């Protein structure tokens, strides 16, 4: 009976030791892509104005900042290069 009990005890200790030494993913450093994704998610939650949001997003993504403006009808025009028939954008 003692060898059987000792075997089960040894097995239980080895299983518990294996579970205790598990490396959790929270302890590893984030990759650059994960860091960028977390920063973009945090930016979405900040409640910034339209202009502030797009300027911060351009900074995070490393893109040149686009200028956004309203056309003469008060509609949003994100691309200035688009020419509409009969009126400038």
């Amino acid at each position: 009976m003692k060898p059987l009990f000792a075997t089960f005890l040894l097995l239980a200790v080895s299983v518990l030791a294996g579970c205790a030494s598990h490396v959790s993913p929270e302890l590893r450093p984030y990759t650059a892509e994960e860091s960028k994704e977390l920063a973009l998610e945090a930016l979405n939650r900040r409640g910034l104005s339209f202009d502030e949001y797009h300027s911060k997003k351009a900074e995070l993504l490393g893109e040149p900042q686009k200028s956004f403006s309203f056309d003469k009808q008060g509609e949003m025009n994100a691309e200035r290069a688009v020419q509409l028939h009969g009126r400038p954008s």
Side-chain angles (χ1 to χ4, degrees):
M1 188 69 161
K2 284 186 180 181
L4 185 62
F5 179 72
T7 305
F8 284 130
L9 184 62
L10 185 61
L11 180 65
V13 168
S14 64
V15 167
L16 290 175
C19 292
S21 66
H22 177 55
V23 177
S24 71
E26 293 84 23
L27 298 179
R28 67 170 175 76
Y30 290 120
T31 64
E33 187 174 320
E34 288 172 329
S35 296
K36 187 184 291 185
E37 191 66 33
L38 287 171
L40 286 172
E41 287 177 11
L43 181 65
N44 286 335
R45 292 189 205 109
R46 287 177 62 186
L48 299 173
S49 70
F50 182 80
D51 294 331
E52 289 174 325
Y53 172 78
H54 282 286
S55 67
K56 297 286 185 185
K57 185 177 177 182
E59 287 176 21
L60 285 173
L61 296 177
E63 297 175 350
Q65 187 173 353
K66 298 177 183 177
S67 70
F68 297 98
S69 65
F70 290 93
D71 63 9
K72 293 179 182 174
Q73 280 77 34
E75 298 172 352
M76 190 64 193
N77 183 8
E79 295 184 23
R80 294 179 153 229
V82 175
Q83 292 294 324
L84 301 175
H85 302 288
R87 65 175 200 228
S89 294

